[in-house]
Amino acid sequence: MKVIKVKNTAEGGKSAFRILQEEMASGAKTLGLATGSTPLGLYKEMRESALDFSDMVSVNLDEYVGLSADDPNSYAYFMKQHLFTAKPFKTSFLPNGLAADLQAEAQRYEDLIAEHPIDLQILGIGRNGHIGFNEPGTPFDIPTHVVDLTESTIQANSRFFEKAEDVPKQAISMGIASIMKSKIIILMAYGKEKADAVAAAVQGPIRESLPASVLQRHPNVILIVDEEAGAKLL
Ligand code: GLP
């Protein structure tokens, strides 16, 4: 795993953007995108760039169950707000959190990833080491699936919702196996609350109780961390 240490999220965004630019120049057509605060620096760089994404496909990692694309807390809304309105892609896929048959929706999404193999996947990491919404204990070989969110993730997400009972308890997430098929992965982490998860992901044993540790098995992962998130790296 290549590690890039940066001063702050803005610098991390620039660093990730440079890699994205290089990959697009060498033919990358499909981007795997993430939500959360972590990729915001990168999305800012993308919005403010002269790059054109109208020939590209994006595939997002996950979506909450029960929220429509118009709900300001949905990941579809987040992506429009932070990237797609300013920089539309040819096609942008997210799981449909309102699907009547969630299992069928997960399968549809997995098929779609097979049709559009991801050249470059952007990842954040949860405080408990989750990637996408693959919570600790998720089997490494799992494709896109319906997830019951853990209490720690529900709590971390509650800051965006007015009432605790409004925080979704389920999501549809690309699986660990789906994520691992990406050609290149950029994992970004900022802030001291990510330090333990980052250290365990990079230098701990590879184990399902720390989902991000699976990335040690991927041949092409670039980790971008600020000082706080990288503080426990050897
Ligand atoms: C959510 C998302 C993840 C993200 C994580 C961290 O759980 N599903 O994709 O990596 O939050 O969020 P943040 O970047 O805000 O720290």
Side-chain angles (χ1 to χ4, degrees):
M1 201 178 293
K2 184 178 167 195
V3 180
I4 300 176
K5 292 194 174 168
V6 295
K7 282 204 194 75
N8 50 42
T9 55
E11 211 186 275
K14 286 192 171 60
S15 189
F17 179 72
R18 276 194 294 273
I19 300 166
L20 168 65
Q21 244 179 330
E22 283 165 22
E23 290 310 316
M24 282 174 63
S26 37
K29 284 278 173 233
T30 304
L31 301 184
L33 299 176
T35 52
S37 54
T38 303
L40 287 178
L42 169 63
Y43 296 160
K44 178 170 187 284
E45 294 299 319
M46 291 170 76
R47 285 197 309 271
E48 293 174 357
S49 75
L51 287 186
D52 176 24
F53 302 96
S54 62
D55 200 24
M56 300 192 59
V57 171
S58 70
V59 186
N60 259 78
L61 278 170
D62 46 17
E63 179 59 284
Y64 287 122
V65 166
L67 300 191
S68 77
D70 297 333
D71 188 311
N73 275 309
S74 73
Y75 285 167
Y77 192 97
F78 176 102
M79 291 308 301
K80 270 185 266 172
Q81 190 184 13
H82 293 289
L83 188 59
F84 297 154
T85 301
K87 291 283 184 185
F89 282 58
K90 183 172 69 183
T91 320
S92 287
F93 297 109
L94 280 103
N96 175 11
L98 289 183
D101 183 339
L102 294 173
Q103 305 300 335
E105 173 60 10
Q107 182 60 53
R108 181 193 74 87
Y109 207 71
E110 188 63 25
D111 294 345
L112 190 148
I113 298 165
E115 266 170 56
H116 302 279
I118 294 168
D119 294 303
L120 177 64
Q121 175 68 54
I122 305 301
L123 279 187
I125 184 170
R127 299 170 205 185
N128 61 5
H130 74 240
I131 47 176
F133 267 134
N134 294 282
E135 297 281 18
T138 305
F140 283 164
D141 61 358
I142 205 163
T144 302
H145 61 294
V146 181
V147 181
D148 292 326
L149 301 173
T150 63
E151 215 31 64
S152 106
T153 300
I154 293 170
Q155 249 179 29
N157 295 337
S158 65
R159 66 189 192 273
F160 301 112
F161 294 82
E162 262 175 41
K163 288 180 279 173
E165 62 262 34
D166 291 343
V167 189
K169 310 283 185 293
Q170 282 190 311
I172 298 177
S173 179
M174 261 192 217
I176 293 181
S178 339
I179 293 171
M180 289 294 277
K181 286 183 190 152
S182 314
K183 287 190 202 124
I184 301 177
I185 296 174
I186 300 180
L187 171 65
M188 291 183 275
Y190 307 115
K192 58 179 183 311
E193 66 278 6
K194 301 289 174 74
D196 287 324
V198 166
V202 175
Q203 62 217 9
I206 300 174
R207 55 196 162 97
E208 290 180 347
S209 53
L210 203 296
S213 65
V214 74
L215 298 173
Q216 293 177 43
R217 291 195 184 142
H218 192 285
N220 209 342
V221 178
I222 301 159
L223 169 66
I224 299 177
V225 281
D226 66 359
E227 262 172 44
E228 287 184 337
K232 295 188 178 174
L233 289 175
L234 299 174

